[in-house]
Amino acid sequence: PPVDPKAGDRIAKLLARAGVASRREIERMIEDRRIALNGVVLETPATILKSLKGITVDGKPVAPPETARLFRYNKPTGLLVAERDFTGRPTIYDKLPKELPRVVPVGRLDLNTEGLLLLTNDGGFKRQMELPSTGVERSYRARCFGEVSQDQLEELIHGVEIDGVQYGKIDANLERRTGRNGWVEMTLTEGKNREVR
């Protein structure tokens, strides 16, 4: 059920905002009886609080949340945008500087995609930036193979449906072509999974 903002927020949300861990991990920490309020171990993630006063994790008081910060990361190919991969593939967290605070990615880039990835220490800001209604434009350059014309790309401005998934407007331009290889620049505001592909 939605939380009344006057009553406060769920503890997992507050602790995630304070940079302790992700909401999911915090729920696991509560199950493992690692989080307490005024010395009393919490038993449910449905706990609603106005602040983190009196909250401890593993017996240590929780520091108040930092000011929201945004970091730029030039993601190379071959890294997953994930906290961990159970098959052992490298993630961005294996390569990020160790002195960074706990950060979360704003959106995702595929394993074989390189380029600008924004990171933030504020989960609420991350979600706001990712919402299509916020209107943040994302631009991509993609290599294509075959006969692709600017006229075909112009049609994407009205959106497109592929395999039953409806994609919003895409502003696409053919940058250059050499033989059957070309480069296309696309600007979109949704960033749905596999949309550029």
Side-chain angles (χ1 to χ4, degrees), residues 132-150:
S133 58
T134 306
V136 175
E137 291 186 341
R138 301 137 167 91
S139 291
Y140 301 86
R141 288 181 74 239
R143 187 174 174 194
C144 60
F145 181 74
E147 299 300 323
V148 178
S149 71
Q150 182 61 39

Side-chain angles (χ1 to χ4, degrees), residues 34-59:
R34 295 174 56 195
I35 300 175
L37 172 59
N38 298 324
V40 179
V41 173
L42 295 180
E43 297 187 4
T44 174
T47 305
I48 308 297
L49 299 171
K50 283 187 179 273
S51 77
L52 292 173
K53 188 175 178 189
I55 292 289
T56 56
V57 177
D58 296 330

Side-chain angles (χ1 to χ4, degrees), residues 9-157:
D9 285 305
R10 284 179 180 260
I11 186 162
K13 182 176 182 179
L14 291 173
L15 286 172
R17 198 180 293 148
V20 172
S22 71
R23 289 190 197 194
R24 213 171 284 148
E25 285 177 58
I26 289 161
E27 287 172 6
R28 279 195 288 268
M29 292 164 84
I30 291 170
E31 280 177 32
D32 294 341
R33 305 179 58 78
R34 295 174 56 195
I35 300 175
L37 172 59
N38 298 324
V40 179
V41 173
L42 295 180
E43 297 187 4
T44 174
T47 305
I48 308 297
L49 299 171
K50 283 187 179 273
S51 77
L52 292 173
K53 188 175 178 189
I55 292 289
T56 56
V57 177
D58 296 330
K60 296 180 188 134
V62 176
E66 282 188 29
T67 304
R69 294 170 68 192
L70 192 63
F71 300 87
R72 294 174 300 181
Y73 178 57
N74 186 14
K75 181 188 125 24
T77 59
L79 293 182
L80 281 177
V81 179
E83 231 167 306
R84 66 181 65 84
D85 181 58
F86 296 109
T87 62
R89 293 177 296 179
T91 75
I92 58 168
Y93 292 95
D94 296 324
K95 301 294 180 187
L96 289 174
K98 299 300 175 210
E99 65 272 11
L100 271 186
R102 182 186 169 275
V103 291
V104 289
V106 178
R108 299 231 177 272
L109 291 176
D110 288 347
L111 177 72
N112 293 320
T113 301
E114 64 179 293
L116 174 68
L117 180 66
L118 296 177
L119 306 163
T120 181
N121 64 336
D122 186 313
F125 180 64
K126 163 198 164 71
R127 283 182 293 283
Q128 184 181 354
M129 291 281 287
E130 289 174 341
L131 286 171
S133 58
T134 306
V136 175
E137 291 186 341
R138 301 137 167 91
S139 291
Y140 301 86
R141 288 181 74 239
R143 187 174 174 194
C144 60
F145 181 74
E147 299 300 323
V148 178
S149 71
Q150 182 61 39
D151 285 344
Q152 288 172 308
L153 294 175
E154 296 287 342
E155 290 300 311
L156 297 176
I157 202 71

